[in-house]
Amino acid sequence: MADEMTIADAILKNPKVGDTWSRWVFTNQRDPARKTREFLEFCFANLRPRKRRKLTEKLESGDKSHVEATLHELVAHELAVRLNLRPELEPCIEGLTPDLSFIADNQSFIADVIVVHSPKKTVEDFPDGTGAAWDTSNPSESRSKKIADLIGTKASKYRSLPYPLVVFGFLGDRRILSSTNFEQALFGRIPEEADPGGFFPGVGRAPILMGGLFLPDDNGAMPHQNLSAVIVLDWFDTLNRSDPGKRLHCVVLHHWDPRVQLPVTAFEPFPQITWERKGPHVWVPRYVSDGLMVVKFDRRDGLQFAPYSPNKAW
């Protein structure tokens, strides 16, 4: 329809967006914003008209965090489209509306998208553009606690539905946050830092200040088994000046004892942490794929994968 609202129209009409990343993307004329804007508009144009109208309603009325998450829904949806996972944006299932549904190995999954920012008390910006971050045992000063609470809320919300859940967690302040903060939030410690021969959910000598969403409760029951995996996504601007634009890095963090396993093949060749059962309530981590693998979205409908590092930007 000629008079259909665009995502730019919706965001610029919303006074609650304020001076945020979302407004910058749709007002700044420099290449990083322009390329991001063009990609989001491409994703939006590929939706059915009814889904476009529903999405612009959210962008026009939501608060700034809701708007940011909604824009990242488009990225998660487009990734699932190009991975041939047959996604649907915002399906209605038994009175609830998750952000996405998709199909992997003939199993239906639902998914929600979050964009995580560090608690303000845990970061300090310096005049030269650098900064510092920390965590303490104070709940308001723990990044892993904030992440665990966000994901736990999603898992609880959809516990009654018959489909397993996947959470897409985008890094909102990627200079400070990383996938290791999510690992701490889910597993209680970072698997790579475990003692040789160490197993999970035992924690060994590693202190658990905050997080550990998947750790068993006092009765030994495994929580949130409806949550199959959390996918940590870093959608960043490449340092490659000969081919500028966005790249996407994903790390798939699987639950060690879910009701339904997310197939590893669904998000290949992204890096993943999977688990091998060694006994009753005993798992050891297994690492899949190259941890440096990132993806570039083609102009049409493809994906290009390659390793990425600051010294070898792609």
Side-chain angles (χ1 to χ4, degrees), residues 37-38 43 79 88 141 174 215 230 238 284 297 311:
R37 178 168 64 248
E38 289 173 353
C43 298
L79 176 65
E88 180 182 354
E141 297 180 352
R174 56 177 305 271
L215 295 178
V230 174
T238 181
V284 295
F297 291 93
N311 295 328

Side-chain angles (χ1 to χ4, degrees), residues 140-152:
S140 67
E141 297 180 352
S142 169
R143 291 168 291 172
S144 60
K145 173 67 164 55
K146 179 176 182 177
I147 294 168
D149 286 349
L150 285 169
I151 296 172

Side-chain angles (χ1 to χ4, degrees), residues 229-303:
V230 174
I231 303 175
V232 186
L233 304 101
D234 183 4
W235 194 41
F236 66 97
D237 291 296
T238 181
L239 297 175
N240 182 2
R241 295 296 171 243
S242 65
D243 187 14
K246 290 287 190 183
R247 303 292 185 266
L248 182 67
H249 181 251
C250 299
V251 180
V252 184
L253 307 176
H254 293 261
H255 196 304
W256 44 55
D257 193 24
R259 287 204 298 264
V260 178
Q261 188 77 44
L262 176 69
V264 171
T265 53
F267 287 89
E268 287 180 333
F270 288 119
Q272 306 186 43
I273 297 180
T274 64
W275 300 91
E276 181 180 350
R277 186 187 292 268
K278 289 294 188 179
H281 301 302
V282 176
W283 291 267
V284 295
R286 294 289 180 261
Y287 302 92
V288 179
S289 190
D290 184 347
L292 300 178
M293 189 65 66
V294 303
V295 69
K296 178 174 72 170
F297 291 93
D298 286 346
R299 289 288 299 173
R300 295 182 179 272
D301 58 0
L303 295 171

Side-chain angles (χ1 to χ4, degrees), residues 53-295:
R53 288 193 294 273
K54 189 174 181 180
L55 188 139
T56 52
E57 289 172 1
K58 290 172 61 177
L59 293 174
E60 187 180 7
S61 61
D63 62 26
K64 61 183 181 181
S65 60
H66 195 192
V67 168
E68 184 182 37
T70 301
L71 291 176
H72 285 79
E73 280 179 43
L74 282 170
V75 181
H77 179 266
E78 187 68 20
L79 176 65
V81 167
R82 299 189 188 203
L83 290 173
N84 299 312
L85 297 176
R86 293 176 282 169
E88 180 182 354
L89 192 70
E90 300 191 345
C92 183
I93 304 172
E94 297 185 7
L96 293 174
T97 308
D99 294 332
L100 299 170
S101 64
F102 65 89
I103 299 173
D105 199 16
N106 296 318
Q107 169 67 52
S108 294
F109 291 83
I110 57 172
D112 250 11
V113 176
I114 60 174
V115 182
V116 179
H117 294 269
S118 299
K120 291 182 179 180
K121 293 181 179 181
T122 68
V123 295
E124 181 180 1
D125 292 312
F126 302 145
D128 63 357
T130 61
W134 59 87
D135 291 291
T136 76
S137 57
N138 184 331
S140 67
E141 297 180 352
S142 169
R143 291 168 291 172
S144 60
K145 173 67 164 55
K146 179 176 182 177
I147 294 168
D149 286 349
L150 285 169
I151 296 172
T153 298
K154 297 293 186 184
S156 297
K157 178 180 180 180
Y158 297 111
R159 182 176 293 130
S160 64
L161 295 187
Y163 304 112
L165 172 68
V166 172
V167 171
F168 289 82
F170 283 86
L171 304 182
D173 49 324
R174 56 177 305 271
R175 180 172 61 84
I176 298 296
L177 284 169
S178 73
S179 64
T180 58
N181 299 112
F182 280 78
E183 293 170 31
Q184 182 78 35
L186 298 177
F187 310 131
R189 57 177 170 155
I190 300 168
E192 285 189 350
E193 295 180 352
D195 295 335
F199 62 87
F200 288 73
V203 296
R205 296 188 297 273
I208 305 299
L209 296 178
M210 293 290 172
L213 185 68
F214 290 163
L215 295 178
D217 62 22
D218 292 340
N219 297 317
M222 290 293 173
H224 304 304
Q225 290 178 297
N226 64 312
L227 176 57
S228 294
V230 174
I231 303 175
V232 186
L233 304 101
D234 183 4
W235 194 41
F236 66 97
D237 291 296
T238 181
L239 297 175
N240 182 2
R241 295 296 171 243
S242 65
D243 187 14
K246 290 287 190 183
R247 303 292 185 266
L248 182 67
H249 181 251
C250 299
V251 180
V252 184
L253 307 176
H254 293 261
H255 196 304
W256 44 55
D257 193 24
R259 287 204 298 264
V260 178
Q261 188 77 44
L262 176 69
V264 171
T265 53
F267 287 89
E268 287 180 333
F270 288 119
Q272 306 186 43
I273 297 180
T274 64
W275 300 91
E276 181 180 350
R277 186 187 292 268
K278 289 294 188 179
H281 301 302
V282 176
W283 291 267
V284 295
R286 294 289 180 261
Y287 302 92
V288 179
S289 190
D290 184 347
L292 300 178
M293 189 65 66
V294 303
V295 69

